Amino acid sequence: MRKKVSNKKFKFVSKKMKRGILFVAAILIIGTMETGHSGGVIVSEAHSGRTDSQGGHHDYKNKSGLGSYHYHHGYEAHLHPNGVCPYENGNGTSTTKSSKQSVGSSTTTTSEKKTEPTLKIEDYSLIFETVYYYNNNPDLQASIGNGGQDLLEHFVNYGMAEGRRGSSNFDVKTYRDNNKDLEAAYGDNLKEYYVHYLNTGHKENRTHN
């Protein structure tokens, strides 16, 4: 009887030890998903495969396209040419749209923003006059106001396609009716008539008003 009780105790203790070992192993695996950087913690874009003592990991199937070995430590998959990390020296460029990192107790999110070049009124002077566009489009007066830049952006982004007249100097309907060779190319795309006049038509002294 004593032997049977002892065996049961041994099996029970063994099971508890196995569970404890599995729990510790799970914590260690999770720990490899985070790396220290600049006094904070950066959560890396990890995928299957543990990092080694060098901070990189093997990619035998070359899923990253960088060969059989690469690094992450908070950035996208990359290599260390001559043993130097391009990101640590500020030379690396990330193709990700946004990144999130925790520094101290605060969390910051950075995003890349693509800025469109600002439209210049002088570039559209042949077909656009701020005062004329404002006075002859009363529906815009309340919604946009009399700001020259705002009115120009509306004219370029919407007004041209709608066939709105932006200047006393140019009438898109007259330009279209008197230049039948353009109608075959542009059809009902009114904005293209404005663009054609700006780039070519005014130099050819085409009828435009």
Side-chain angles (χ1 to χ4, degrees):
M1 286 294 290
R2 287 184 181 178
K3 284 185 178 181
K4 287 183 180 180
V5 172
S6 297
N7 286 337
K8 285 183 180 180
K9 272 189 175 181
F10 179 77
K11 288 180 180 179
F12 178 75
V13 172
S14 295
K15 284 183 179 179
K16 287 190 97 175
M17 288 180 67
K18 284 180 181 178
R19 288 178 184 172
I21 292 170
L22 288 173
F23 179 74
V24 172
I27 291 175
L28 290 174
I29 291 171
I30 293 171
T32 61
M33 304 289 283
E34 296 184 353
T35 56
H37 185 69
S38 300
V41 174
I42 296 178
V43 180
S44 66
E45 297 177 6
H47 50 77
S48 59
R50 295 178 59 182
T51 56
D52 58 20
S53 60
Q54 302 300 317
H57 73 188
H58 294 283
D59 182 13
Y60 294 114
K61 294 183 179 180
N62 195 21
K63 292 181 179 179
S64 65
L66 298 174
S68 61
Y69 188 86
H70 63 259
Y71 299 84
H72 281 282
H73 58 83
Y75 302 99
E76 62 189 49
H78 64 280
L79 301 176
H80 286 185
N82 300 319
V84 179
C85 174
Y87 293 98
E88 303 247 332
N89 293 333
N91 297 323
T93 56
S94 176
T95 57
T96 54
K97 290 290 180 185
S98 63
S99 60
K100 190 175 183 181
Q101 64 178 18
S102 174
V103 180
S105 60
S106 63
T107 300
T108 58
T109 303
T110 57
S111 301
E112 293 179 3
K113 290 183 178 179
K114 292 184 179 180
T115 55
E116 296 295 331
T118 303
L119 299 173
K120 296 180 180 178
I121 292 179
E122 55 266 29
D123 293 338
Y124 296 88
S125 60
L126 292 174
I127 60 173
F128 179 80
E129 298 166 0
T130 300
V131 175
Y132 182 94
Y133 195 63
Y134 176 79
N135 289 337
N136 288 275
N137 293 279
D139 59 314
L140 304 180
Q141 293 172 9
S143 59
I144 295 180
N146 60 359
Q149 189 64 37
D150 291 335
L151 289 169
L152 174 61
E153 288 179 2
H154 181 276
F155 175 65
V156 173
N157 295 326
Y158 306 103
M160 286 184 180
E162 295 170 357
R164 293 186 187 238
R165 187 162 181 168
S167 166
S168 58
N169 181 58
F170 181 82
D171 181 8
V172 71
K173 293 177 182 176
T174 300
Y175 192 66
R176 177 181 180 180
D177 291 342
N178 287 274
N179 296 280
K180 294 298 182 182
D181 59 315
L182 302 180
E183 192 164 7
Y186 304 136
D188 294 328
N189 190 341
L190 297 180
K191 185 172 183 177
E192 290 300 324
Y193 293 94
Y194 289 98
V195 175
H196 181 273
Y197 179 73
L198 277 177
N199 295 334
T200 309
H202 76 281
K203 298 175 185 176
E204 299 172 348
N205 293 318
R206 290 184 181 242
T207 302
H208 59 279
N209 197 3

